Amino acid sequence: MKCNICPRECGADRESSMGFCGVPNRFVIARAALHFWEEPPISGTGGSGAVFFSGCHLGCVYCQNYQLSHCAYGTEVSDSRLGEIFHELADQGAHNINLVNPTHYAVGLRRVLSKEKPQIPVVYNSSGYEKVQTLRTLEGLADVYLPDLKYIDSARSEKYSAAADYFDYAAKALQEMKRQCPENIYDGDGLIQRGLIVRHLVLPKNTNQSLKILDWIKENLGLDTAVSLMSQYTPCGELENTPELRRRITRREYEKVVNYAEELGFETIFTQQLTSAEKKFIPDFDLTGI
């Protein structure tokens, strides 16, 4: 069957070859463990049960998980083993199952979650580069959407992620996520059970892009949409052709974006310390938990 799960629509037969994402039509993962560095309603005190999937359909030049996204490092697991991993993470006290970079596995995830959906929330943690048709197949299976909204300008998304149509797809995808999860629901401990948190990674020399994104979220998703403004950008990957990305962001750049979000009136804004921009916060992809 030709694969058209993601906006690339590369048409690869992933039973016998690789698509743009670089992985077959079988689950390949590099780590499954409690993760404590997500937003507070996701990590809580016990940690998020993060499952890091290999390969990527986007391909950002600065990806912090380059070993996974570009090199497709990981090991294959069966449907039944992935279901077991979900339950093992729940038994370890995970507040949720956090599917990190799951888009190109959406068909398989629907199959597994339809049979093995955990009793804790399932977080769909993606780049935002999604097809609405794919997201609709996950309705009722994904409890929390945690997408990025990286860029608005096509020239920027082409340069950094080889996807000039990034925003065209991401805008529709986030609106679909909002339709499925119109409001955030939290338990008594403040842990999210259902909803949408939109992430935006502030990039050096790109704050005007960030302000445009905040304007779009306000106008199209509403000020009740939780936004997470991330300062954790750490130079990684292949930056030979993007000299502007060879440094961390400055305090002035980050505060410009945070202050603007506050001026717009967003009800929920998650922020980070600039000290989060360290490689020590990038997990070790050593097949833990697999």
Side-chain angles (χ1 to χ4, degrees), residues 48-267:
S48 177
V51 181
F52 289 87
F53 291 93
S54 302
C56 186
H57 65 297
L58 191 53
C60 303
V61 296
Y62 54 83
C63 184
Q64 293 184 183
N65 297 347
Y66 200 91
Q67 183 183 9
L68 273 62
S69 61
H70 290 256
C71 303
Y73 173 77
T75 191
E76 290 189 18
V77 299
S78 65
D79 286 15
S80 60
R81 177 57 190 144
L82 185 61
E84 290 174 356
I85 287 171
F86 292 164
H87 291 294
E88 288 168 6
L89 289 169
D91 289 343
Q92 292 171 33
H95 297 306
N96 46 65
I97 299 300
N98 186 354
L99 308 175
V100 184
N101 193 26
T103 306
H104 44 299
Y105 296 102
V107 171
L109 285 169
R110 183 179 186 278
R111 185 174 61 242
V112 172
L113 291 172
S114 295
K115 296 179 181 179
E116 297 283 348
K117 191 172 190 302
Q119 296 300 307
I120 54 179
V122 173
V123 179
Y124 191 84
N125 182 345
S126 85
S127 68
Y129 192 45
E130 305 275 355
K131 290 174 64 175
V132 168
Q133 299 95 313
T134 298
L135 292 173
R136 286 179 178 165
T137 68
L138 297 168
E139 187 166 5
L141 299 174
D143 302 297
V144 178
Y145 283 107
L146 186 63
D148 293 333
L149 186 52
K150 296 178 179 292
Y151 331 97
I152 282 186
D153 295 347
S154 61
R156 204 66 50 91
S157 60
E158 172 65 22
K159 182 179 182 181
Y160 294 161
S161 299
D165 59 357
Y166 173 86
F167 180 71
D168 294 337
Y169 279 96
K172 294 182 179 70
L174 267 63
Q175 289 172 316
E176 171 62 18
M177 294 173 187
K178 184 75 170 183
R179 183 195 68 79
Q180 291 186 26
C181 300
E183 63 176 326
N184 286 8
I185 299 171
Y186 302 89
D187 69 8
D189 295 320
L191 298 168
I192 192 166
Q193 304 298 296
R194 183 170 178 78
L196 167 67
I197 300 174
V198 179
R199 284 175 161 175
H200 174 64
L201 177 65
V202 181
L203 296 174
K205 293 189 177 181
N206 277 272
T207 54
N208 288 339
Q209 193 79 185
S210 302
L211 304 190
K212 289 180 184 180
I213 284 170
L214 290 170
D215 285 335
W216 184 88
I217 295 173
K218 174 185 175 180
E219 295 300 322
N220 294 275
L221 302 179
L223 291 171
D224 62 332
T225 302
V227 296
S228 178
L229 301 175
M230 300 186 294
S231 64
Q232 68 187 46
Y233 176 76
T234 304
C236 294
E238 297 181 353
L239 306 179
E240 290 82 0
N241 298 320
T242 54
E244 69 275 20
L245 299 182
R246 295 178 193 167
R247 65 165 174 83
R248 295 173 172 82
I249 65 170
T250 65
R251 181 173 301 279
R252 182 177 180 180
E253 286 174 318
Y254 188 58
E255 289 180 350
K256 175 182 177 180
V257 177
V258 173
N259 290 342
Y260 190 66
E262 292 173 344
E263 291 169 8
L264 289 177
F266 281 97
E267 296 172 13

Side-chain angles (χ1 to χ4, degrees), residues 10 12-26 72 76:
C10 67
D13 180 359
R14 289 171 59 194
E15 289 296 334
S16 58
S17 61
M18 307 291 185
F20 183 96
C21 60
V23 288
N25 194 29
R26 296 174 293 281
E76 290 189 18

